Amino acid sequence: MDHVRLTETARALVADGKGLLAADESTGSIRKRFDAVGVESTERSRRDYREMLVRTPRVGDHISGVILFDETLRQEAADGTPLVRLIESAGMIPGIKVDRGAKPLAPFGSGETVTEGLDGLRERFDEYASMGARFAKWRAVYSIGDGRPSAQCIHANAHALARYAALAQEAGLVPIVEPEVLMDGDHDIDACFEATELVQRAVFQELAGQRVLLEGMLLKPNMVISGAEAATQAAPEEVAERTLACFLRTVPAAVPGIVFLSGGQGDEQATINLDAINVLALKIGAPWPLSFSYGRALQQAALRTWAGDNDNTPAAQAAFLAQAQANQKAALGAYAA
Ligand code: 13P
């Protein structure tokens, strides 16, 4: 394992308030996003859309890395340049989503999932590394309510996350460890805090147990927020206070960075909350940069503007750049200021 290279890559991904573009929607997820704006999902339309994003002028000033789906890592731009090379020449680092999705946790019926994809992963990592991927992502999912997340779900997912992370590092890729406590539901922010704390404790216990190099990984968690359907929504200052309290308690200082997912927060909400977290971190101190790895919150406006028509590319790129810029400011605690 090349400790120096892993550590350098992990640090580069969170340098200067930059964050990640999660453009790794599976074929099913991107179809849903395209359906919402009336675009047919074909191999070509998916390629055109992602090419548009990574060709955005100066995007590398704000985005450090792009997470890709397997199909995209293999695709070429309309002019024949591999998309991976476009990403690199824009000064960004290519990454790859390697999990094979969250599947019902046996015995069926608990409403919980465990993420699959470990079989054959060593060989897949070798191929991805040879294609230029320098980091990877694996997402575990937990829901809140009726006894969820259960100890069994927390343990099974922590174990899989650590096995994935160890394999990624063995192949020289920085693992992004993503345990996502969903915001679905009408629970309050305390319930989110409690679930997130339990999940993070289990994840870091497994990472240590499986000898994952903390200096050579990034954590991609949910923020600690109110359930999406909760009658009372915690204000950004409370989100910041609870989020920092939770991660200061559970995430070792050796981890080079925390990159939040947006998880269905609106674009503006995701930026404002990230900014509030960093404003507080500047005040009380935090051992890691706190940045973003957003999918929807970075892309929503751009996708709506592009709407399947390449004539809209300049306007869509402007919308995407504005989101990238705003979130970089938020990662520096300088968005609202
Ligand atoms: P969202 O920011 O849309 O939650 O996506 C991030 C991601 O990569 C989820 O796995």
Side-chain angles (χ1 to χ4, degrees):
M1 188 172 33
D2 186 341
H3 290 210
V4 174
R5 186 177 145 88
L6 287 170
T7 305
E8 280 174 3
T9 303
R11 287 191 188 146
L13 288 169
V14 289
D16 309 320
K18 290 187 204 178
L20 304 172
L21 165 64
D24 61 328
E25 299 85 358
S26 63
T27 312
S29 300
I30 196 74
R31 185 178 309 116
K32 272 189 247 157
R33 308 268 193 274
F34 276 16
D35 280 351
V37 294
V39 175
E40 192 191 350
S41 181
T42 64
E43 192 183 339
R44 185 173 171 153
S45 65
R46 295 191 289 272
R47 190 279 310 272
D48 284 354
Y49 172 62
R50 284 152 173 166
E51 178 178 348
M52 180 277 289
L53 291 177
V54 302
R55 275 197 194 274
T56 298
R58 308 201 64 83
V59 68
D61 292 353
H62 315 288
I63 301 286
S64 57
V66 185
I67 317 173
L68 303 172
F69 187 57
D70 181 279
E71 176 187 80
T72 320
L73 189 74
R74 301 172 193 281
Q75 277 178 325
E76 292 177 350
D79 68 2
T81 314
L83 291 182
V84 172
R85 299 288 98 74
L86 284 184
I87 290 168
E88 290 167 343
S89 52
M92 302 184 291
I93 301 175
I96 178 77
K97 185 237 295 292
V98 299
D99 68 69
R100 295 223 150 119
K103 304 289 160 57
L105 181 66
F108 185 75
S110 68
E112 299 196 288
T113 62
V114 62
T115 300
E116 296 188 351
L118 290 170
D119 288 359
L121 187 54
R122 173 175 278 131
E123 292 72 27
R124 289 170 63 214
F125 269 133
D126 286 343
E127 190 196 9
Y128 291 142
S130 74
M131 295 173 76
R134 289 175 49 203
F135 70 98
K137 184 191 106 172
W138 177 292
R139 172 174 176 256
V141 188
Y142 315 81
S143 56
I144 293 180
D146 292 333
R148 299 186 313 270
S150 68
Q152 175 200 9
C153 170
I154 290 174
H155 175 70
N157 278 295
H159 187 263
L161 277 166
R163 284 193 59 199
Y164 137 80
L167 284 164
Q169 292 186 335
E170 184 185 85
L173 280 80
V174 169
I176 297 197
V177 172
E178 180 179 6
E180 174 176 5
V181 177
L182 296 171
M183 60 188 288
D184 302 352
D186 60 5
H187 55 270
D188 61 16
I189 192 168
D190 292 338
C192 181
F193 185 99
E194 215 175 289
T196 305
E197 181 180 1
L198 283 174
V199 163
Q200 294 300 339
R201 274 197 203 292
V203 166
F204 281 97
Q205 191 172 343
E206 281 290 336
L207 291 172
Q210 297 191 44
R211 301 170 65 179
V212 171
L213 178 75
L214 296 181
E215 291 84 351
M217 62 161 278
L218 294 175
L219 179 70
K220 173 164 174 167
N222 53 284
M223 295 177 188
V224 176
I225 49 178
S226 313
E229 291 93 45
T232 313
Q233 291 290 317
E237 294 70 26
E238 189 178 1
V239 169
E241 190 271 309
R242 303 296 278 162
T243 299
L244 270 180
C246 186
F247 294 116
L248 284 169
R249 225 180 237 191
T250 53
V251 182
V255 172
I258 295 181
V259 289
F260 292 101
L261 57 94
S262 60
Q265 297 183 59
D267 311 5
E268 182 72 2
Q269 188 191 4
T271 308
I272 288 175
N273 282 336
L274 180 63
D275 187 56
I277 289 168
N278 278 289
V279 167
L280 182 61
L282 285 171
K283 216 180 288 169
I284 67 173
W288 354 255
L290 295 143
S291 190
F292 59 93
S293 174
Y294 289 168
R296 285 161 285 181
L298 277 172
Q299 294 183 55
Q300 249 152 23
L303 176 59
R304 231 179 291 120
T305 308
W306 176 70
D309 184 346
N310 290 335
D311 288 348
N312 296 330
T313 288
Q317 289 177 331
F320 174 48
L321 193 72
Q323 284 306 115
Q325 244 164 348
N327 285 298
Q328 182 185 34
K329 279 202 177 130
L332 297 168
Y335 175 68

